Structures are given as C-alpha cells and as structure tokens.
C-alpha cells in the first residue's frame, strides 16, 4: 500500500494506492472534532454545579448534587457509612433580585440595560477580587507559572520538528553528488536521479523517459535535441541552462523550474498539473507528523504517573519538580546532534511537562475560593494562551538560525516557573474555600 500527498491549487489530498482517495484536511477536521463530540455527549451525563442550582433557586437539586459528591468521596476513602449533613449554605445574590430593586416605573429596555451593566460590573469586581487579599499573591504566582510553562511548552513544540527537519536536510545535503563537464549522447535516462548537481553538462540526442528528478539541479548545462517524456521533478531546477530543439511531453517542467534558462525552438505538450510529490519523494514531510505523534504519545506515561502520585508526593512537588526537570532536559538539547537523540529528548520533555500541566490545573482550582475560582482559572488560561502565541512567534522565528537562544530561553523560563511554583501554598489535604 502506498500513500501519496499532493497540493493542487490550495487543495490537499491523500491517496492510498489507486483504490482510495480523500481530501486529508476534511478528514483531519473530522478526526479533531471527534473528541469534542465525545466531550459534549459526556457532559450530558454530568450534573450541574451546586452553585448554579443555588443561583437558579433550585435548592433541592443543589443538595442532591452535594450529597452525590459526598457519597462518592466517602466511598473512595473507604467510609461509605458516613452520613451527608449540611449545616449552612450561603445563597448567592440573584441578578433578578437586583433588577427588581429598580423603580417599578422602569421600562423593559432599562431593565435589560441595567442587567447588562450589573453583569459586567459583577464580572469586573470578581476579576479584581482575584488581586485582593488573601489570593493576590497566589494569582500573581499562578499567572507567572502558567505563562512560563505555556511559553516553553508551545514554543518548543514548534521548534522541535523544524530542528529535526533541518538536521535531516543538512545530512541529506552532505550526501549530494556533483558532476562537472559531463557529456552524454544518444543515452536513455529511464531511472531516478536524486540529490545531484550537474554543472556545465552537455546532453545531445538524449532521452529522459518515465523518470523522476529528485533534488537535482542542472547548472549552465545544454540540452540539444533531447526528448522528455513522462518526467516528474521534486525540488529540481534548471539554472542558466539552454534547451535547443527539445521536446517535452507529459512533464511538469515549466517556467518555475527553468530559472534563467533559454528555450530555443522547443515545444511543450500535455504538461502535468498539480503537485507530483509523495511521501516516498519527501520522507521528511511524513517524518514531521511522526515526530509529533511520538512526542504526543510520550505524555501517556506522564499522565499515569501524575494521576497515581498526585496525592502522595503533593501538587507543589510535582509541579515544581516537573518544570525544573523539564528545563534541565531542554538544556541537554544543546548536545543533540542526531535525530534519534532529539526525538528521545522530545519524548522526555513531553513526559515531564505533562505532569506539571496536570498538577497546575489542580493547584489553580484549589487555591481559589468558589466565587473566584472560575474567574481566576480563566485569567490564568488567558495568560497561557498569550504565552503560547508569543512562544510560537519567537521560537518559530529562530528555526534554522540558532539553537542556543531557544534552548537557553526555554530552560530559563521553565526552571524559573518551577521555582515560583514551589512557593505556592500547599493545598493537599486542605478543605477548599
């Protein structure tokens, strides 16, 4: 079974042999949407939060959800006989009650505007309360940890595959074969030419039939009375060449491949259209996706370890330790000179960093009281997305230029974020606010 990937006028498609062909970007979108669909289905089986029920005035439903949470936790702790009791529930202020506080003469439009202003004011006050005592220090520290972890993680996720691609390109370029001043006459080329440079060559009455030119460059060469039939090119160019009475049939050789070349008394018939590249022609295209897949697969052990050890070693130890170890693993990328070593370090980094992500989610949720938890978590996630954008821009601009700055930058921010994370209050075994 063979796979082919082509880009034609902005469209991308896969083909498997000759029996199956489909547009890969549509399949990619469908595959990416499947987890979201599964999440939506799973959400239908989850109860609403007790706070939401209280705000809606559904006190009995809120009590039932709290009892279900209590019973589940007690069974997990081996105390199923413990009875659920509620001494006091603080009811949140209803927005409708605030609206009713307006004058009875208020029109519906005024009530809607008042409701919007009240809602926005409530959001602003809740946001600002995240910077008030006693959670102000926690908010600043958490924002810093979220920013540094996201900056290093997403920055390196862009940088890793491209660095490996550059290693491949450098290794491929080191094996190029150079041919100078060659002269062929009445010869038939019906095989693949790959990774070659032909300079000052002369080709007379030669036939190029059913062949591929892969990363082949002809420089200052002359083709006289040559016949090209069913020729495909990948990364190949004719620079400053001269074609005299040449005949092209069913080829993809066009003006974009003829750089500074002269075409004299030559003809082109039934030119090929679209991209002729396949994964067999450009293995690095497949390799980039494979490296990302292996790196993503490496987070599975990290997820299992963090789930088993979260309560045993503590959230902060896992958060700080994972980030510091991730920073140290990044530093050793400095000595990576081969694809295998870079992939190993990528897997190690992803496996360590996922534990930091998991523990950071738990710590963030547990450090905020109920009335500020959603707002605080949302603010930290906003810092995360901002750092992801900056990381992609900064690390992406350094690909192929230097690896010193990305490595030192990622190592520094991860270690710094880990040390700050260790300064957060330990929430293990504490009652949530």
């Amino acid at each position: 079974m063979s796979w082919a990937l082509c880009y034609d006028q902005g469209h991308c498609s896969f083909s498997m042999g000759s029996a199956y062909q489909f547009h890969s970007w549509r399949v990619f979108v469908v595959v990416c949407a499947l987890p979201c669909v599964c999440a939506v289905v799973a959400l239908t089986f989850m109860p609403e939060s007790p706070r939401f029920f209280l705000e809606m005035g559904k006190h009995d439903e809120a009590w039932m959800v709290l009892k279900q949470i209590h019973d589940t936790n007690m069974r997990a702790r081996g105390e199923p006989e413990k009875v659920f009791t509620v001494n006091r529930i603080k009811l949140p202020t209803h927005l409708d009650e605030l609206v009713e506080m307006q004058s009875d003469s208020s029109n519906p439009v005024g009530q809607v505007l008042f409701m919007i202003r009240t809602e926005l004011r409530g959001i602003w006050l809740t946001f600002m309360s995240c910077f008030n005592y006693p959670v102000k220090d926690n908010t600043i520290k958490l924002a810093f940890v979220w920013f540094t972890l996201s900056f290093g993680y997403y920055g390196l996720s862009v940088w890793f595959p491209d660095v490996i691609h550059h290693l491949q390109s450098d290794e491929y370029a080191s094996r190029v074969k150079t041919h100078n001043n060659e002269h062929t006459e009445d010869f038939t080329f019906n095989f693949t030419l790959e990774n070659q440079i032909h300079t000052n060559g002369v080709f007379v009455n030669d036939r190029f039939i059913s062949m591929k030119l892969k990363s082949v460059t002809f420089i200052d060469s002359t083709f006289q009375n040559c016949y090209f039939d069913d020729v495909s090119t990948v990364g190949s160019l004719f620079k400053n060449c001269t074609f005299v009475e040449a005949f092209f049939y069913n080829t993809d050789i066009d003006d974009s491949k003829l750089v500074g070349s002269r075409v004299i008394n030559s003809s082109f018939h039934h030119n090929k259209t679209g991209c002729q590249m396949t994964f067999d022609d450009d293995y690095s295209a497949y390799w980039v996706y494979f490296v990302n897949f292996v790196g993503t697969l490496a987070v599975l052990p990290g997820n299992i370890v963090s789930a088993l050890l979260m309560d045993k070693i503590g959230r902060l130890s896992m958060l700080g330790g994972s980030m510091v170890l991730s920073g140290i693993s990044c530093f050793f990328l400095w000595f990576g000179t081969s694809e295998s070593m870079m992939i190993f370090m990528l897997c190690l980094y992803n496996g360590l960093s996922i534990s930091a992500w998991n523990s950071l989610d738990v710590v963030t949720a547990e450090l905020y009281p109920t009335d500020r938890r959603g707002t605080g978590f949302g603010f930290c996630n906003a810092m995360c997305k901002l750092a992801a954008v900056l990381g992609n821009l900064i690390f992406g601009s350094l690909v192929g230029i230097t690896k010193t700055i990305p490595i030192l930058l990622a190592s520094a921010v991860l270690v710094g974020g880990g040390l700050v994370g260790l300064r957060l209050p330990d929430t293990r075994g504490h009652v949530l606010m």
Side-chain angles (χ1 to χ4, degrees), residues 248-298:
F248 298 85
Y249 182 85
N250 192 30
T251 73
D252 63 353
I253 301 175
D254 54 21
D255 291 340
S256 64
K257 310 292 177 64
L258 305 175
V259 180
S261 298
R262 295 188 303 159
V263 180
I264 304 173
N265 296 332
S266 300
S267 59
F268 295 80
H269 302 275
H270 299 286
N271 280 10
K272 295 181 179 181
T273 59
C275 174
Q276 310 302 318
M277 182 184 296
T278 67
F279 279 140
D280 294 330
D281 298 325
D282 187 8
Y283 184 70
S284 63
Y286 159 80
W287 192 247
V288 170
Y289 294 100
F290 178 74
V291 168
N292 275 300
F293 171 75
V294 172
T296 304
L297 196 64

Side-chain angles (χ1 to χ4, degrees), residues 297-310:
L297 196 64
V299 307
L300 182 60
N303 277 319
I304 295 174
V305 170
S306 60
L308 295 176
L309 301 181
M310 182 79 71

